[in-house]
Amino acid sequence: EAGNAVLIGHRDTWMAFMKHLRTGDEVIVRTPAARAHYIVYSLVVVPEDDATVLGSSSGQQITLVTCYPFDSNDWNQPWRYAVFGEAIGEG
């Protein structure tokens, strides 16, 4: 259904793959009921308090958010890395 599905996680756990994503890459989200396919169309770094990345969408969109920079040893970074994908179907 239409809207923005937002997934948030730590950069050094299951979201570590985000540092390898590029525009045009496919992201597949699996649930017990189906698989949703998305194409990455934008990657941005925003301040930690920028909630605009959580905004709604009239289409089917996914937003992945994690801490930034990826390889920092400082756990108090004020930045977030956001990846946006547009749904391309289910399989």
Side-chain angles (χ1 to χ4, degrees), residues 14-58:
W14 70 278
M15 286 293 222
F17 76 95
M18 285 179 58
K19 70 179 166 182
H20 302 291
L21 289 176
R22 301 292 177 259
T23 302
D25 285 350
E26 183 176 3
V27 173
I28 301 170
V29 177
R30 295 183 183 129
T31 70
R35 290 196 297 176
H37 298 249
Y38 301 88
I39 293 294
V40 173
Y41 68 85
S42 180
L43 308 100
V44 297
V45 175
V46 297
E48 66 182 341
D49 60 353
D50 184 346
T52 61
V53 298
L54 308 177
S56 64
S57 172
S58 60

Side-chain angles (χ1 to χ4, degrees), residues 2 19 40 46 68 71 73 88:
K19 70 179 166 182
V40 173
V46 297
Y68 187 82
D71 298 319
N73 290 326
I88 58 171

Side-chain angles (χ1 to χ4, degrees), residues 1-6 41 50-63 65 84-86:
E1 54 186 76
N4 182 17
V6 180
Y41 68 85
D50 184 346
T52 61
V53 298
L54 308 177
S56 64
S57 172
S58 60
Q60 291 179 309
Q61 176 179 306
I62 192 168
T63 302
V65 181
F84 303 93
E86 178 179 21

